[in-house]
Amino acid sequence: MVFDLDLIKKVYAELPGKVSAARKLIGKPLTLTEKILYAHLYGSLPATAHSRGKDYVDFAPDRVAMQDATAQMALLQFMTAGRSKVAVPSTVHCDHLIQAKIGAKKDLELAIETNREVYDFLSSISDKYGIGFWKAGAGIIHQVVLENYAFPGGMMIGTDSHTPNAGGLGMVAIGVGGADAVDVMAGLPWELKMPKVIGVKLTGKMSGWTSCKDVILWVAGQLTVKGGTGAIVEYFGEGADSMSATGKGTVCNMGAEIGATCSLFAYDEKMSAYLKATGRAEVAALADGIKEHLRPDAEVYADPAKYYDQVLELDLNTLEPYVNGPFTPDLATPISKMAAAVKENGWPAKLEVALIGSCTNSSYEDISRSASIVEDAMSKGLKANSEFTITPGSEQVRFTIERDGFISTFEKVGGVVLANACGPCIGQWARHIDDPNRKNTIITSFNRNFAKRNDGNASTHAFVASPEIVTAMAIAGTIAFNPLTDKLKNDKGEDVLLKEPTGFELPPKGFAVEDAGYQAPAADGSGINVKVASDSKRLQLLEPFKAWEGTDITGLKLLIKAKGKCTTDHISMAGPWLKFRGHLDNISNNMLIGAVNFFNEKTDTVKNQLTGAYGPVPATARAYKAAHVGSIVVGDENYGEGSSREHAAMEPRHLGVRAILVRSFARIHETNLKKQGMLGLTFANKEDYDKVQEDDSIDIVGLTSFAPGKTLTVVLNHKDGSVDTIPVNHTYNEQQIEWFKAGGALNVIRSQFVN
């Protein structure tokens, strides 16, 4: 089944003309990124070319995808927007709420029972508004999108930070907050600052133990967690064309860990083959017909430095496997130096759990290569010396690998196949460990490895590597193992070397599935009632946030001055909190409980200036709100990196926080704050962060003349009577200032559609 074929035909029919017009406007050859972006402008071409990294631009994405944890809040907002049906093809995917405990079958059964209320809500609201619904067990959103919806040259947004996975099929696919999704589903323009473009030229071809995962692990080491901020990363060259479509997806997926807006590859034969293998031969034929417009212009290949804002070059012939971590995805160590790094840093060498799969690395190719390692190990008298779990990315992948014997292979070595869901990748893991405070090591083929990310334990050292390296280390039982050179002792006392992995990019016998898990929406949803119980602890209808009062904001109490890394996991944890993603008041009880308080080096312990007592962050915020006192959060660099979850912006808004003042923001989080009517401000002088004191009463001055590019002033009124007056910057444009004044973007949308 080919979804949205008429839409794809329309995009492809218009693309050549739009690309030609954009090339004429810009006056030079185009990168693939520019072709797709200019072809998806909302409205006509501008009089002059948009300036990268400066101009805010309105776009018209082709589709929207939402996972169940973020879809709840996105659709609760959409319900209030006054539309009877979504304006673009949209889907909901139930993948986040399934906890990994025992194994696929029992975990899925328990999830369906435990989350029935949420699934019924999502199913009914999807039915009502014309949204495709993928049931629990169907698979992880990004793999399902790649298999069914992604198409070269298209543009989509998704309410998950790893939406860029679709770049593996040449699509500009961007992770956003739910309020952005509401814009697009309501048929309104979607705003984005015109991204810069980073080019990554790949030459040569991988072999042996090296895999596509190692490309992005290397890039993360080069660019760091914020090096891609405000940019689209475009991979090109003969090396790029040699990589499988799903391998390309892995690279694009984990591009979120460098802060990139998204990543993508040019259309090639590998993509065509994947489209055909997943039942979309018609799409492949259409793409083949306009192939030149789905790749950068020839001049870009010839002299990339002239057309990209930054260029990295990597010879895949020389690339070795990498292991990244712990605690951050950009700490990149080549496998040849891993053993020394383990010893030097005092990381626990014993590997307790090895996990492969997730949205990042759950393709048929990944599974088949890992299975080949297991088969070789067993034939040589070896067994797994660590716990070993496997997460298929979709029911189609799971069904096919079971048919082809790979699941049986994993089970013979003691592997446990988990449900087709996110599971341990997002903290949905009931891990069995004797002492959660004990330093220990796990390794995954996932994408993110912040402290507490996978199992909620701060002492867990989580590393990220390819499925092949993870599997080899599961056999060895240690992360100080290099399968390229190190031998293992088998059950006969012999020293044996593992063979290089082998596998199949696509299943030789084709993909197969009995029930993919898709539910089409009702043809007419007007009579359908959305299911939300008035006494629900998990779902709560939304009330609009209040509009700005029209004056400067004064007398704000410092809620917390966060020290160091403060990701969306620190601001609004996942794991057990996922069950409250549709209930704003209940989930707000996790607000900033993972952030480190600068003044006492503790988490979830801040001073209540009204009482002088220390207590949890959410309770302190509620105390200020009850007393009609506003509060402010101060943060460090790259505040809000990680997930796209808008709860990290909605919770502070709900609990009376008026502004977030930081050294720098991650892109998605800054946008989410703006959408919710919050003030997202940055220190004009980063060292002014040090001037903020624990008992400060803080004023924000200049709001009555709030304007794009105009500095605001923050007044720090210290307890001893002294005052520091500091300039602060913002990136609000005129439309975003209107969101602030209205109390949030949703209030602006509502005014357009609701009488």
Side-chain angles (χ1 to χ4, degrees):
M1 177 180 180
V2 181
F3 290 95
D4 310 317
L5 185 59
D6 289 341
L7 165 71
I8 297 171
K9 287 180 177 178
K10 182 175 184 294
V11 171
Y12 284 176
E14 297 175 352
L15 191 63
K18 289 183 174 180
V19 168
S20 178
R23 191 181 291 113
K24 184 177 180 181
L25 173 72
I26 295 175
K28 64 176 184 177
L30 302 179
T31 63
L32 175 59
T33 296
E34 291 169 313
K35 292 182 179 182
I36 298 175
L37 291 181
Y38 275 92
H40 285 85
L41 293 178
Y42 191 95
S44 56
L45 279 177
T48 57
H50 292 299
S51 179
R52 293 181 192 169
K54 294 182 180 179
D55 294 345
Y56 281 97
V57 182
D58 286 339
F59 292 101
D62 299 311
R63 65 174 309 105
V64 173
M66 297 163 280
Q67 39 93 333
D68 51 355
T70 52
Q72 295 172 64
M73 197 58 71
L75 292 175
L76 284 166
Q77 293 177 85
F78 183 76
M79 283 178 66
T80 71
R83 291 293 302 245
S84 60
K85 189 175 182 179
V86 292
V88 301
S90 304
T91 52
V92 167
H93 305 259
C94 295
D95 62 358
H96 271 55
L97 300 179
I98 303 169
Q99 189 178 41
K101 285 187 175 182
I102 303 166
K105 187 174 186 297
K106 290 186 177 180
D107 290 349
L108 180 58
E109 290 172 354
L110 180 61
I112 290 173
E113 184 59 35
T114 303
N115 303 308
R116 189 176 302 280
E117 176 185 13
V118 173
Y119 293 152
D120 286 349
F121 162 70
L122 292 173
S123 175
S124 64
I125 199 169
S126 295
D127 233 7
K128 183 174 184 64
Y129 292 110
I131 298 168
F133 181 72
W134 290 82
K135 295 178 282 190
I140 305 174
I141 176 173
H142 313 302
Q143 181 64 28
V144 173
V145 165
L146 197 70
E147 291 175 0
N148 295 277
Y149 298 111
F151 66 95
M155 183 180 190
M156 68 173 283
I157 61 169
T159 59
D160 190 282
S161 55
H162 294 105
T163 298
N165 191 83
L169 275 178
M171 194 172 202
V172 166
I174 301 173
V176 299
D180 279 350
V182 172
D183 281 351
V184 178
M185 290 190 292
L188 299 174
W190 173 64
E191 183 187 71
L192 177 74
K193 185 178 285 187
M194 194 67 174
K196 294 182 178 180
V197 189
I198 297 173
V200 181
K201 182 179 181 180
L202 301 177
T203 59
K205 187 175 183 179
M206 288 173 290
S207 62
W209 284 92
T210 304
S211 75
C212 297
K213 179 74 160 213
D214 298 307
V215 173
I216 185 57
L217 294 177
W218 178 87
V219 170
Q222 299 295 307
L223 292 178
T224 78
V225 291
K226 58 183 291 188
T229 302
I232 290 179
V233 181
E234 185 173 307
Y235 293 84
F236 65 96
E238 59 175 339
D241 292 343
S242 72
M243 296 164 59
S244 67
T246 52
K248 291 178 172 75
T250 290
V251 173
C252 294
N253 179 304
M254 201 173 159
E257 305 338 308
I258 58 172
T261 302
C262 71
S263 306
L264 78 160
F265 285 77
Y267 180 66
D268 58 18
E269 293 180 3
K270 299 288 189 179
M271 292 187 194
S272 178
Y274 185 75
L275 287 168
K276 293 170 185 174
T278 50
R280 293 173 286 173
E282 291 167 281
V283 178
L286 290 169
D288 288 340
I290 58 165
K291 186 174 182 178
E292 66 183 283
H293 303 295
L294 301 173
R295 294 176 66 83
D297 286 340
E299 295 90 340
V300 176
Y301 278 110
D303 192 0
K306 286 179 62 177
Y307 304 99
Y308 295 105
D309 296 284
Q310 181 181 353
V311 178
L312 299 180
E313 292 194 33
L314 175 61
D315 181 357
L316 299 181
N317 292 319
T318 65
L319 180 65
E320 65 175 301
Y322 271 76
V323 179
N324 286 26
F327 307 128
T328 185
D330 59 350
L331 180 56
T333 305
I335 194 71
S336 60
K337 298 179 180 178
M338 188 62 187
V342 170
K343 186 175 181 180
E344 180 182 342
N345 292 285
W347 298 329
K350 180 185 177 183
L351 179 60
E352 303 203 7
V353 192
L355 309 97
I356 65 170
S358 92
C359 68
T360 326
N361 277 106
S362 54
S363 67
Y364 188 89
E365 180 182 26
D366 293 324
I367 299 298
S368 66
R369 284 173 62 86
S370 293
S372 78
I373 297 168
V374 172
E375 289 170 350
D376 176 58
M378 288 192 297
S379 73
K380 291 173 176 172
L382 299 169
K383 62 178 183 179
N385 281 290
S386 306
E387 286 185 43
F388 186 35
T389 71
I390 302 92
T391 302
S394 69
E395 176 57 16
Q396 179 167 267
V397 168
R398 189 213 62 79
F399 190 94
T400 305
I401 64 172
E402 181 178 46
R403 179 201 67 189
D404 293 351
F406 298 143
I407 287 181
S408 174
T409 296
F410 290 128
E411 290 176 341
K412 286 176 184 175
V413 81
V416 175
V417 177
L418 302 175
N420 313 322
C422 301
C425 184
I426 59 161
Q428 282 284 61
W429 183 21
R431 185 181 172 192
H432 315 291
I433 184 170
D434 55 350
D435 178 6
N437 297 314
R438 174 174 55 80
K439 284 177 64 174
N440 71 97
T441 289
I442 67 172
I443 190 167
T444 80
S445 69
F446 307 161
N447 40 40
R448 200 163 277 163
N449 63 338
F450 304 132
K452 300 185 180 182
R453 168 74 179 183
N454 303 119
D455 62 5
N457 301 328
S459 297
T460 295
H461 292 55
F463 294 85
V464 177
S466 69
E468 295 90 334
I469 294 299
V470 173
T471 303
M473 288 184 172
I475 303 297
T478 173
I479 58 163
F481 173 66
N482 180 358
L484 285 72
T485 58
D486 298 348
K487 293 183 177 181
L488 296 171
K489 199 170 290 292
N490 67 9
D491 53 4
K492 296 179 182 178
E494 301 166 335
D495 290 327
V496 296
L497 186 70
L498 292 173
K499 279 199 314 187
E500 293 178 349
T502 58
F504 305 92
E505 289 184 9
L506 298 167
K509 293 188 287 186
F511 285 107
V513 67
E514 287 183 352
D515 179 7
Y518 175 70
Q519 173 185 299
D524 179 6
S526 58
I528 293 173
N529 292 318
V530 177
K531 299 177 182 178
V532 179
S534 59
D535 61 348
S536 174
K537 298 292 188 292
R538 297 192 61 178
L539 296 165
Q540 179 187 48
L541 297 178
L542 295 175
E543 293 291 331
F545 290 128
K546 291 182 180 179
W548 171 56
E549 57 268 64
T551 63
D552 289 339
I553 301 174
T554 60
L556 300 178
K557 300 301 183 185
L558 176 67
L559 180 61
I560 186 172
K561 180 178 176 179
K563 180 180 179 180
K565 189 183 284 287
C566 191
T567 72
T568 48
D569 280 277
H570 295 90
I571 304 168
S572 176
M573 287 185 179
W577 291 96
L578 281 172
K579 61 179 175 285
F580 297 125
R581 283 284 182 87
H583 197 294
L584 181 56
D585 192 58
N586 282 346
I587 198 170
S588 292
N589 288 321
N590 78 357
M591 185 189 74
L592 284 159
I593 63 176
V596 175
N597 183 357
F598 178 90
F599 298 105
N600 59 15
E601 301 283 338
K602 296 180 180 179
T603 58
D604 202 24
T605 305
V606 295
K607 187 174 184 178
N608 181 333
Q609 292 188 45
L610 302 179
T611 66
Y614 284 82
V617 182
T620 305
R622 289 184 188 277
Y624 290 147
K625 183 179 180 181
H628 305 290
V629 174
S631 57
I632 183 171
V633 171
V634 173
D636 215 321
E637 294 281 8
N638 209 28
Y639 183 89
E641 71 174 276
S643 168
S644 68
R645 68 191 66 154
E646 65 183 340
H647 299 76
M650 295 185 78
E651 291 173 32
R653 183 76 165 97
H654 175 65
L655 294 187
V657 177
R658 301 298 302 272
I660 312 290
L661 172 60
V662 300
R663 282 176 162 152
S664 66
F665 281 110
R667 176 191 65 84
I668 299 177
H669 186 64
E670 183 180 23
T671 300
N672 286 344
L673 291 170
K674 292 177 179 179
K675 285 282 187 176
Q676 300 304 330
M678 291 276 280
L679 282 172
L681 308 172
T682 56
F683 292 99
N685 304 304
K686 291 187 177 184
E687 59 271 20
D688 285 343
Y689 168 91
D690 298 319
K691 295 178 180 177
V692 179
Q693 298 177 20
E694 189 172 29
D695 292 295
D696 281 351
S697 177
I698 300 173
D699 305 330
I700 302 174
V701 179
L703 291 174
T704 54
S705 56
F706 193 12
K710 187 176 180 181
T711 299
L712 296 172
T713 300
V714 164
V715 181
L716 305 174
N717 300 290
H718 304 309
K719 188 177 182 180
D720 64 4
S722 63
V723 174
D724 275 307
T725 300
I726 62 174
V728 296
N729 296 329
H730 67 84
T731 60
Y732 288 73
N733 60 23
E734 290 182 1
Q735 176 176 273
Q736 293 165 351
I737 291 172
E738 290 306 309
W739 298 343
F740 166 73
K741 291 179 177 179
L746 189 57
N747 290 347
V748 176
I749 295 174
R750 188 183 294 110
S751 68
Q752 296 177 22
F753 291 111
V754 180
N755 295 325

